[in-house]
Each structure stands twice: as C-alpha cells, then as structure tokens.
C-alpha cells in the first residue's frame, strides 16, 4: 500500500469490542502515528498528513512499509525509555508484496521477525488476549501509565475499523475568564478559562450547546467564579488536563 492513511478508530469499550469480535488487545501509546517506509537502509517516518518527520538508519535488507507510533511531540513520549523510540505494530507491505488483506496476526508477526533488523530505536507493541482486559486496564491504564487500550481482530485486514477505549479524568475548576468564539461561534462564547486545583489555567471550548454559548456570553458576570466539572483524556504532571471538555456546573461547590 502506498497510501499512508491512518486506520479508523471507533471509541468503544470492552463489551462493544467483544460484540465486534475483537480478540486482541494493545496498550495505546501517546506519540505520533508513523508510517515507516523502509528503502536502501533508511526508515523514512511520515506523519498521518504525509509529512516527512525524520529518517533513521536500518538494515538494508528491510524493504517495505511498516506502521507504528513515534515517541515525539507529547509529554508522555518524553520519558527516558520512550523518547525518540518507534513502536511497531503493523506491516502494510514487504518486499513488494501488499499485505493489506493479510490477517492482522500475520502482519504483526512480520513486525516481530524483522524487528532485529531495525536497530535500537525500534520496539514492538505488545499484544495481549482480550480475555485479560481487566488486568491490563488496572495495571497500566488505571494507574495513568498509558492513556487507554486498542482492540483488534486477529484475523482482520488493514481496512478493519479499530476499537479503542481511553482513560478519562474528571476535575473541578473555577471559571476565571471567557474567550470569544470564531467561525460558527462568532458573537458568542468560544471557550471558558478555568483554574484547576493545581493552579493551572486551561481553555475549555468543548461540551457546550449553542444555547449555552449564547447564555454564557451574554451574562458573563453570572458565570465568573462558578465551579465547572471538566472531563479530559489525561492529567499531566503539571496539573493541567489534556483535551478538557465541559461536563456540568457544580453549584454545590
């Protein structure tokens, strides 16, 4: 396959994944999706938009297109055992053979057997059986070490829709300001500025209806100082939260 397009993900949970016949479980890495073209001893790493991100030396015996997660550009990826590493989890073609319709278990095995030729900066994403979901979630996700899990079908082709479940965190914060909307929200609220318990201030633009945006923008003094419950994908060491969305007002606080 020449087109390096990221596979579709469906936000799901364990039960929905089982109903979709998923049987393979992987931890979700918080880096950059990477399309890796291997030619003449060089692995060229492309983003999902087709931009060349970096190149790494590899054994010239490897010819093909692999898919992975490049540990770059996020706070999670900066840890010493991750920074600059590439974690492989799929192979879309090898030695001129298109593997798009190979079962995932075979494509994953191509990553595994070729891994020694990639060098020290490359790793392999670990596969688990979905039957140990509870253990994996409690050990690695609930502890905030990883941001979630990905569910797959071991016999699925590249075109398979993947299921994922992310860990979410809920925080309360105090409204300290308002940001004007743009585009379709011109003339009404774009986002609220919220101070979290850590002291970090975040901009929260999601989770509001159009009616709520109008009401808040027209009556800002009534909302200043109110406590808002927020939901995000992860909490950073700084005390900030990733991708915060408004959930509800906590007038009991």
């Amino acid at each position: 396959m020449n087109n390096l397009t990221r596979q579709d993900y469906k936000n799901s949970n364990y039960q929905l994944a089982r109903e979709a016949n998923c049987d393979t479980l992987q931890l979700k890495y918080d880096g950059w999706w990477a399309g890796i073209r291997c030619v003449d001893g060089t692995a060229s790493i492309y983003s999902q938009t087709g931009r060349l991100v970096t190149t790494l030396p590899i054994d010239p015996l490897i010819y093909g297109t692999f898919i992975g997660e490049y540990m770059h550009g996020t706070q999670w990826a900066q840890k010493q055992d991750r920074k600059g590493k590439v974690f492989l989890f799929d192979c879309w073609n090898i030695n001129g053979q298109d593997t798009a319709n190979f079962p995932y278990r075979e494509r994953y095995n191509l990553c595994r057997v070729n891994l020694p030729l990639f060098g020290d900066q490359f790793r392999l994403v670990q596969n688990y059986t979905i039957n140990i979901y509870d253990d994996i979630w409690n050990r690695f996700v609930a502890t905030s070490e990883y941001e979630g899990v990905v569910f797959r079908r071991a016999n699925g082709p590249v075109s398979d829709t993947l299921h994922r479940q992310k860990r979410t965190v809920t925080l309360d914060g105090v409204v300290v300001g308002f940001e004007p909307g743009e585009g379709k929200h011109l003339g009404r609220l774009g986002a609220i500025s919220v101070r979290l318990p850590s002291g970090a201030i975040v901009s929260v633009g999601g989770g509001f209806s159009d009616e709520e945006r109008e009401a808040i923008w027209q009556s800002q003094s009534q909302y200043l100082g109110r406590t808002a419950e927020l939901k995000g994908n992860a909490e950073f060491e700084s005390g900030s939260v990733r991708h915060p969305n408004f959930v509800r007002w906590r007038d009991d606080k």
Side-chain angles (χ1 to χ4, degrees):
M1 295 180 66
N2 293 321
N3 183 21
L4 294 179
T5 302
R6 184 172 185 162
Q7 289 169 285
D8 290 331
Y9 283 90
K10 180 177 181 180
N11 290 322
S12 188
N13 57 37
Y14 171 77
Q15 188 58 44
L16 291 175
R18 290 304 297 261
E19 292 173 3
N21 297 316
C22 294
D23 50 14
T24 301
L25 178 70
Q26 295 172 336
L27 290 166
K28 189 176 185 307
Y29 288 66
D30 185 17
W32 286 1
W33 182 92
I36 307 152
R37 287 198 172 107
C38 303
V39 179
D40 296 334
T42 298
S44 298
I45 298 178
Y46 293 87
S47 71
Q48 60 182 311
T49 61
R51 181 174 66 87
L52 179 63
V53 177
T54 191
T55 59
L56 296 170
I58 56 173
D59 193 298
L61 290 175
I62 306 175
Y63 276 82
T65 301
F66 292 78
I67 307 299
E69 197 82 8
Y70 177 42
M71 295 297 100
H72 181 77
T74 66
Q75 181 175 338
W76 189 87
Q78 300 309 304
K79 290 194 175 181
Q80 191 61 37
D81 60 338
R82 301 169 185 159
K83 188 174 183 180
K85 301 291 191 297
V86 182
F87 287 80
L88 302 177
F89 56 78
D90 209 343
C91 174
W92 287 6
N93 63 67
I94 190 165
N95 297 328
Q97 183 175 19
D98 190 343
T99 60
N101 291 317
F102 284 24
Y104 178 67
R105 66 172 68 87
E106 295 183 18
R107 305 196 316 270
Y108 179 84
N109 192 53
L110 288 170
C111 295
R112 184 183 62 80
V113 299
N114 283 284
L115 183 65
L117 301 177
F118 274 94
D120 292 340
Q121 285 188 264
F122 290 81
R123 302 285 188 273
L124 187 66
V125 170
Q126 181 67 50
N127 274 357
Y128 304 93
T129 65
I130 198 171
N131 295 329
I132 62 171
Y133 160 80
D134 285 337
D135 180 52
I136 296 301
W137 184 273
N138 291 332
R139 285 170 57 196
F140 298 110
V141 182
T143 59
S144 301
E145 186 176 352
Y146 288 82
E147 70 168 355
V149 295
V150 175
F151 304 101
R152 295 177 174 271
R153 296 191 308 149
N155 64 349
V158 166
S159 59
D160 233 16
T161 296
L162 306 182
H163 293 250
R164 67 182 174 189
Q165 182 178 358
K166 291 184 176 182
R167 171 179 50 84
T168 58
V169 296
T170 301
L171 294 171
D172 294 332
V174 176
V175 177
V176 295
F178 307 90
E179 302 171 25
E182 299 178 351
K184 69 175 184 178
H185 297 312
L186 188 66
R188 57 190 177 193
L189 179 74
I192 56 174
S193 297
V194 178
R195 180 183 292 113
L196 300 178
S198 65
I201 296 178
V202 295
S203 176
V204 183
F208 300 102
S209 67
D210 289 347
E211 292 74 19
E212 287 172 323
R213 292 181 187 278
E214 292 280 0
I216 295 171
W217 191 246
Q218 296 300 323
S219 305
Q220 296 178 27
S221 61
Q222 296 181 24
Y223 291 89
L224 191 66
R226 289 182 70 175
T227 298
E229 181 180 316
L230 311 178
K231 181 172 70 174
N233 289 344
E235 188 174 4
F236 297 126
E237 293 178 3
S238 64
S240 187
V241 64
R242 184 182 186 192
H243 298 158
N245 277 280
F246 174 79
V247 177
R248 57 175 175 161
W249 298 109
R250 294 299 306 266
D251 291 328
D252 58 326
K253 293 190 175 183

